[in-house]
Amino acid sequence: MIPRLHERTHTPHDPLAEALGRPVSPNEGLTEYTVVAHWPGLDYFTLDDEQKTWTSVQWAEHLEDPYLEHPFAASPGNDRRTILHLDIRLHPDDRELSGPEWAETAHRLARAAGIEIPGKEHGCRWIAVHAQPGRLDLIANLIHLDGAWHAPPTDILRRLSDEARRIEQDLRLIPVRTGPTARLSIRPAPTASAQLATVLTQLADEQVGPLATVRGLVEHSAHRIARQPGAAGNDAAHRLELIARRLHAIQQDLDTTAAQLVQPRVAAVPPAVRRTAHRSP
């Protein structure tokens, strides 16, 4: 069982689409076999006569609501990326877990990540999605219902890894095997081209690069404007989507340029000298 922590995002749409393995849809209902667990406070938001099956778009909007209701909530570093996404993957030879086992795993990982605190029902909104074999995704909004920002523990990866080992033992799953210690090697000093390639790669980084942050803000603005009534809002949302696509194309161009900078140059090889046999007179 290998846990992985993704870079935080502004909206839950992309993380939910990745968890599902397909785009979110206003027509596809996600049953309890897909959304296997959620934050305890959700029970207070659903009435007895309310529909039990939400579409993937409704789940995304539910997770996004605190972001829209508390526009000034931000991390101590003024970071507004509120959506935390983590996933775990089983060993390919592991058995498929049952629904209750997936639900138990989800709650244990949520507590290890600090997004679920026992006894606190009005904390972070989160859901656990099991839509792909051997995989579980947790998606949470770090803004509490009262607008307070929730800071995950600094050692969240270690906590997730430790809890994953305990879950493996409790559910009798195949443990992760640690590979042999990597041999030490002396790396040559980076060339100027390699240094420039590193800078370009950082700019084009899809997760933490500055262009990715700008693109995320543009996409989020397009989502919000598209919800406004009127043709003007639709036109503005369409223009923002085009801007986001151009930014993505720029990221790809930068990434391609960085790859070309670090490609080894092939030196021209002179033609081989043909050897002729010399006979003795």
Side-chain angles (χ1 to χ4, degrees):
M1 180 178 290
I2 302 176
R4 182 176 60 157
L5 185 65
H6 300 254
E7 188 68 23
R8 296 204 311 271
T9 59
H10 291 277
T11 70
H13 294 77
D14 287 343
L16 184 53
E18 181 177 345
L20 294 172
R22 55 189 179 273
V24 297
S25 168
N27 301 317
E28 179 190 15
L30 302 183
T31 68
E32 67 273 13
Y33 298 103
T34 301
V35 180
V36 295
H38 52 73
W39 64 297
L42 179 63
D43 296 335
Y44 294 96
F45 283 77
T46 56
L47 302 177
D48 293 336
D49 58 350
E50 190 175 355
Q51 65 182 66
K52 298 298 183 181
T53 302
W54 288 2
T55 66
S56 54
V57 167
Q58 288 175 317
W59 279 113
E61 292 175 346
H62 173 74
L63 291 172
E64 190 181 27
D65 280 346
Y67 185 96
L68 304 177
E69 294 172 358
H70 303 284
F72 300 106
S75 71
N78 201 30
D79 189 348
R80 282 278 290 167
R81 293 176 298 172
T82 63
I83 302 301
L84 181 143
H85 177 205
L86 65 93
D87 72 76
I88 57 117
R89 302 177 189 229
L90 302 183
H91 190 281
D93 296 330
D94 260 323
R95 63 181 177 85
E96 180 64 22
L97 302 185
S98 66
E101 287 175 326
W102 279 122
E104 177 189 354
T105 299
H107 282 284
R108 290 177 63 168
L109 291 173
R111 289 192 292 269
I115 59 177
E116 178 177 301
I117 301 174
K120 189 171 185 178
E121 297 179 344
H122 301 286
C124 298
R125 296 187 182 189
W126 65 270
I127 63 172
V129 178
H130 170 52
Q132 303 181 56
R135 171 171 173 162
L136 181 73
D137 290 74
L138 266 69
I139 306 172
N141 192 314
L142 296 180
I143 300 178
H144 288 187
L145 298 187
D146 59 1
W149 179 272
H150 175 78
T154 56
D155 59 344
I156 180 173
L157 279 176
R158 182 188 61 79
R159 295 189 182 198
L160 289 171
S161 181
D162 291 345
E163 187 61 29
R165 302 292 79 76
R166 287 189 286 267
I167 294 173
E168 287 172 350
Q169 293 180 354
D170 295 343
L171 299 183
R172 298 180 181 178
L173 301 175
I174 299 174
V176 174
R177 297 177 181 177
T178 304
T181 303
R183 297 180 179 178
L184 296 178
S185 61
I186 300 175
R187 297 182 179 180
T191 63
S193 295
Q195 292 176 346
L196 289 174
T198 300
V199 174
L200 296 181
T201 301
Q202 292 173 349
L203 289 174
D205 191 285
E206 185 64 30
Q207 301 296 330
V208 297
L211 289 178
T213 301
V214 174
R215 202 179 99 215
L217 290 171
V218 172
E219 291 174 344
H220 179 70
S221 299
H223 281 300
R224 296 191 63 180
I225 293 175
R227 297 178 184 176
Q228 303 299 322
N234 293 332
D235 291 341
H238 180 65
R239 288 197 297 272
L240 288 174
E241 289 176 355
L242 294 177
I243 292 172
R245 291 177 185 176
R246 292 201 293 271
L247 286 170
H248 186 247
I250 292 173
Q251 288 177 271
Q252 292 178 322
D253 290 342
L254 288 172
D255 195 52
T256 301
T257 303
Q260 292 174 348
L261 284 173
V262 296
Q263 284 181 353
R265 295 182 179 180
V266 179
V269 179
V273 178
R274 180 178 296 177
R275 296 181 178 180
T276 57
H278 296 279
R279 296 181 180 178
S280 300

Short mmCIF file of all heavy atoms in Angstrom, two decimals, residues 2-32:
data_model
loop_
_atom_site.label_atom_id
_atom_site.label_comp_id
_atom_site.label_asym_id
_atom_site.label_seq_id
_atom_site.Cartn_x
_atom_site.Cartn_y
_atom_site.Cartn_z
N ILE A 2 0.83 2.00 -1.08
CA ILE A 2 1.71 3.15 -1.24
C ILE A 2 0.88 4.44 -1.23
O ILE A 2 0.04 4.65 -2.12
CB ILE A 2 2.50 3.06 -2.54
CG1 ILE A 2 3.32 1.76 -2.57
CG2 ILE A 2 3.41 4.27 -2.72
CD1 ILE A 2 4.05 1.53 -3.86
N PRO A 3 1.05 5.32 -0.22
CA PRO A 3 0.34 6.59 -0.22
C PRO A 3 1.08 7.63 -1.05
O PRO A 3 2.31 7.63 -1.14
CB PRO A 3 0.32 6.98 1.27
CG PRO A 3 1.55 6.34 1.83
CD PRO A 3 1.79 5.09 1.04
N ARG A 4 0.32 8.51 -1.68
CA ARG A 4 0.91 9.58 -2.48
C ARG A 4 0.14 10.86 -2.23
O ARG A 4 -1.09 10.87 -2.25
CB ARG A 4 0.88 9.23 -3.98
CG ARG A 4 1.53 10.29 -4.87
CD ARG A 4 1.54 9.86 -6.32
NE ARG A 4 0.20 9.61 -6.83
CZ ARG A 4 -0.10 9.65 -8.14
NH1 ARG A 4 0.83 9.89 -9.03
NH2 ARG A 4 -1.34 9.42 -8.53
N LEU A 5 0.85 11.94 -1.97
CA LEU A 5 0.25 13.25 -1.70
C LEU A 5 0.43 14.13 -2.93
O LEU A 5 1.55 14.36 -3.39
CB LEU A 5 0.90 13.89 -0.48
CG LEU A 5 0.30 15.21 0.01
CD1 LEU A 5 -1.13 15.01 0.50
CD2 LEU A 5 1.16 15.80 1.12
N HIS A 6 -0.68 14.65 -3.44
CA HIS A 6 -0.64 15.51 -4.62
C HIS A 6 -0.47 16.97 -4.20
O HIS A 6 -0.74 17.35 -3.06
CB HIS A 6 -1.93 15.37 -5.44
CG HIS A 6 -2.18 13.97 -5.93
ND1 HIS A 6 -2.01 13.59 -7.24
CD2 HIS A 6 -2.59 12.86 -5.27
CE1 HIS A 6 -2.30 12.31 -7.37
NE2 HIS A 6 -2.67 11.84 -6.19
N GLU A 7 -0.07 17.79 -5.16
CA GLU A 7 -0.01 19.22 -4.90
C GLU A 7 -1.43 19.76 -4.75
O GLU A 7 -2.36 19.34 -5.46
CB GLU A 7 0.69 19.93 -6.07
CG GLU A 7 0.97 21.40 -5.82
CD GLU A 7 2.01 21.62 -4.73
OE1 GLU A 7 2.80 20.70 -4.48
OE2 GLU A 7 2.02 22.71 -4.14
N ARG A 8 -1.62 20.69 -3.80
CA ARG A 8 -2.96 21.24 -3.56
C ARG A 8 -3.43 22.04 -4.77
O ARG A 8 -2.64 22.61 -5.52
CB ARG A 8 -2.96 22.10 -2.30
CG ARG A 8 -2.67 21.33 -1.03
CD ARG A 8 -3.24 22.03 0.19
NE ARG A 8 -2.91 23.43 0.26
CZ ARG A 8 -1.82 23.93 0.84
NH1 ARG A 8 -0.95 23.10 1.41
NH2 ARG A 8 -1.60 25.22 0.87
N THR A 9 -4.76 22.12 -4.93
CA THR A 9 -5.36 22.84 -6.06
C THR A 9 -6.43 23.80 -5.54
O THR A 9 -6.80 23.77 -4.36
CB THR A 9 -6.00 21.86 -7.06
OG1 THR A 9 -7.01 21.07 -6.39
CG2 THR A 9 -4.95 20.93 -7.65
N HIS A 10 -6.93 24.64 -6.44
CA HIS A 10 -7.96 25.60 -6.07
C HIS A 10 -9.36 24.98 -6.10
O HIS A 10 -10.24 25.40 -5.33
CB HIS A 10 -7.93 26.81 -7.02
CG HIS A 10 -6.71 27.66 -6.86
ND1 HIS A 10 -6.60 28.64 -5.90
CD2 HIS A 10 -5.54 27.67 -7.54
CE1 HIS A 10 -5.42 29.24 -6.00
NE2 HIS A 10 -4.75 28.66 -6.99
N THR A 11 -9.58 24.03 -6.98
CA THR A 11 -10.89 23.41 -7.11
C THR A 11 -10.75 21.90 -7.05
O THR A 11 -9.70 21.35 -7.37
CB THR A 11 -11.57 23.80 -8.44
OG1 THR A 11 -10.88 23.17 -9.52
CG2 THR A 11 -11.56 25.32 -8.64
N PRO A 12 -11.83 21.20 -6.67
CA PRO A 12 -11.76 19.74 -6.58
C PRO A 12 -12.08 19.01 -7.87
O PRO A 12 -12.06 17.79 -7.91
CB PRO A 12 -12.83 19.43 -5.52
CG PRO A 12 -13.84 20.51 -5.70
CD PRO A 12 -13.08 21.73 -6.13
N HIS A 13 -12.36 19.74 -8.94
CA HIS A 13 -12.80 19.09 -10.18
C HIS A 13 -11.73 18.18 -10.77
O HIS A 13 -12.01 17.02 -11.12
CB HIS A 13 -13.24 20.14 -11.20
CG HIS A 13 -14.45 20.92 -10.78
ND1 HIS A 13 -14.40 21.94 -9.85
CD2 HIS A 13 -15.76 20.80 -11.16
CE1 HIS A 13 -15.62 22.43 -9.68
NE2 HIS A 13 -16.45 21.76 -10.45
N ASP A 14 -10.50 18.69 -10.89
CA ASP A 14 -9.43 17.86 -11.47
C ASP A 14 -9.07 16.68 -10.56
O ASP A 14 -8.92 15.55 -11.06
CB ASP A 14 -8.20 18.72 -11.75
CG ASP A 14 -8.41 19.64 -12.96
OD1 ASP A 14 -9.34 19.38 -13.74
OD2 ASP A 14 -7.66 20.62 -13.11
N PRO A 15 -8.90 16.87 -9.24
CA PRO A 15 -8.64 15.71 -8.39
C PRO A 15 -9.75 14.65 -8.45
O PRO A 15 -9.46 13.45 -8.47
CB PRO A 15 -8.52 16.31 -6.99
CG PRO A 15 -8.06 17.71 -7.22
CD PRO A 15 -8.75 18.14 -8.48
N LEU A 16 -11.01 15.10 -8.50
CA LEU A 16 -12.10 14.13 -8.57
C LEU A 16 -12.11 13.42 -9.91
O LEU A 16 -12.36 12.20 -9.97
CB LEU A 16 -13.44 14.84 -8.34
CG LEU A 16 -14.70 13.96 -8.29
CD1 LEU A 16 -14.53 12.83 -7.28
CD2 LEU A 16 -15.93 14.79 -7.96
N ALA A 17 -11.80 14.15 -10.98
CA ALA A 17 -11.73 13.50 -12.30
C ALA A 17 -10.60 12.47 -12.33
O ALA A 17 -10.75 11.38 -12.90
CB ALA A 17 -11.52 14.55 -13.38
N GLU A 18 -9.47 12.79 -11.70
CA GLU A 18 -8.36 11.84 -11.65
C GLU A 18 -8.74 10.61 -10.83
O GLU A 18 -8.39 9.49 -11.18
CB GLU A 18 -7.12 12.51 -11.07
CG GLU A 18 -5.91 11.59 -11.02
CD GLU A 18 -4.67 12.26 -10.50
OE1 GLU A 18 -4.64 13.51 -10.44
OE2 GLU A 18 -3.71 11.55 -10.14
N ALA A 19 -9.46 10.83 -9.73
CA ALA A 19 -9.87 9.71 -8.91
C ALA A 19 -10.84 8.80 -9.65
O ALA A 19 -10.78 7.57 -9.54
CB ALA A 19 -10.52 10.22 -7.62
N LEU A 20 -11.74 9.41 -10.43
CA LEU A 20 -12.73 8.63 -11.18
C LEU A 20 -12.13 7.98 -12.42
O LEU A 20 -12.64 6.97 -12.92
CB LEU A 20 -13.91 9.51 -11.59
CG LEU A 20 -14.77 10.07 -10.46
CD1 LEU A 20 -15.76 11.08 -11.01
CD2 LEU A 20 -15.51 8.95 -9.75
N GLY A 21 -11.06 8.59 -12.95
CA GLY A 21 -10.51 8.12 -14.20
C GLY A 21 -11.28 8.62 -15.40
O GLY A 21 -11.13 8.12 -16.51
N ARG A 22 -12.11 9.66 -15.20
CA ARG A 22 -12.92 10.24 -16.27
C ARG A 22 -13.39 11.61 -15.80
O ARG A 22 -13.35 11.92 -14.60
CB ARG A 22 -14.13 9.34 -16.58
CG ARG A 22 -14.99 9.03 -15.36
CD ARG A 22 -16.04 7.98 -15.66
NE ARG A 22 -16.85 7.67 -14.48
CZ ARG A 22 -16.51 6.75 -13.56
NH1 ARG A 22 -15.38 6.08 -13.69
NH2 ARG A 22 -17.31 6.51 -12.54
N PRO A 23 -13.83 12.49 -16.71
CA PRO A 23 -14.28 13.82 -16.30
C PRO A 23 -15.51 13.76 -15.40
O PRO A 23 -16.31 12.82 -15.47
CB PRO A 23 -14.60 14.52 -17.64
CG PRO A 23 -13.87 13.73 -18.68
CD PRO A 23 -13.84 12.31 -18.18
N VAL A 24 -15.63 14.77 -14.54
CA VAL A 24 -16.84 14.87 -13.71
C VAL A 24 -18.03 15.17 -14.62
O VAL A 24 -17.90 15.80 -15.66
CB VAL A 24 -16.69 15.95 -12.62
CG1 VAL A 24 -15.57 15.60 -11.66
CG2 VAL A 24 -16.42 17.31 -13.25
N SER A 25 -19.21 14.72 -14.19
CA SER A 25 -20.39 14.82 -15.04
C SER A 25 -21.60 15.21 -14.21
O SER A 25 -21.75 14.73 -13.08
CB SER A 25 -20.63 13.49 -15.76
OG SER A 25 -21.91 13.48 -16.37
N PRO A 26 -22.48 16.05 -14.76
CA PRO A 26 -23.72 16.38 -14.04
C PRO A 26 -24.77 15.29 -14.16
O PRO A 26 -25.84 15.40 -13.56
CB PRO A 26 -24.19 17.66 -14.75
CG PRO A 26 -23.66 17.54 -16.14
CD PRO A 26 -22.34 16.82 -16.02
N ASN A 27 -24.47 14.24 -14.92
CA ASN A 27 -25.46 13.19 -15.15
C ASN A 27 -25.10 11.86 -14.47
O ASN A 27 -25.95 11.01 -14.32
CB ASN A 27 -25.61 12.94 -16.66
CG ASN A 27 -26.05 14.18 -17.40
OD1 ASN A 27 -26.92 14.92 -16.94
ND2 ASN A 27 -25.43 14.44 -18.55
N GLU A 28 -23.83 11.70 -14.10
CA GLU A 28 -23.39 10.44 -13.51
C GLU A 28 -23.53 10.46 -12.00
O GLU A 28 -22.89 11.27 -11.32
CB GLU A 28 -21.94 10.15 -13.89
CG GLU A 28 -21.41 8.85 -13.29
CD GLU A 28 -19.90 8.71 -13.46
OE1 GLU A 28 -19.24 9.72 -13.78
OE2 GLU A 28 -19.40 7.60 -13.26
N GLY A 29 -24.37 9.62 -11.45
CA GLY A 29 -24.52 9.53 -10.01
C GLY A 29 -23.48 8.62 -9.40
O GLY A 29 -23.22 7.54 -9.91
N LEU A 30 -22.90 9.07 -8.29
CA LEU A 30 -21.90 8.27 -7.59
C LEU A 30 -22.55 7.65 -6.35
O LEU A 30 -22.96 8.35 -5.44
CB LEU A 30 -20.70 9.14 -7.18
CG LEU A 30 -19.98 9.87 -8.32
CD1 LEU A 30 -18.78 10.64 -7.78
CD2 LEU A 30 -19.55 8.90 -9.41
N THR A 31 -22.62 6.33 -6.32
CA THR A 31 -23.26 5.63 -5.22
C THR A 31 -22.28 5.43 -4.07
O THR A 31 -21.11 5.82 -4.14
CB THR A 31 -23.78 4.27 -5.69
OG1 THR A 31 -22.66 3.43 -6.01
CG2 THR A 31 -24.66 4.42 -6.94
N GLU A 32 -22.76 4.77 -3.02
CA GLU A 32 -21.90 4.49 -1.87
C GLU A 32 -20.81 3.48 -2.20
O GLU A 32 -19.88 3.30 -1.42
CB GLU A 32 -22.74 3.98 -0.69
CG GLU A 32 -23.38 2.61 -0.90
CD GLU A 32 -24.73 2.69 -1.59
OE1 GLU A 32 -25.06 3.78 -2.13
OE2 GLU A 32 -25.46 1.68 -1.60
#
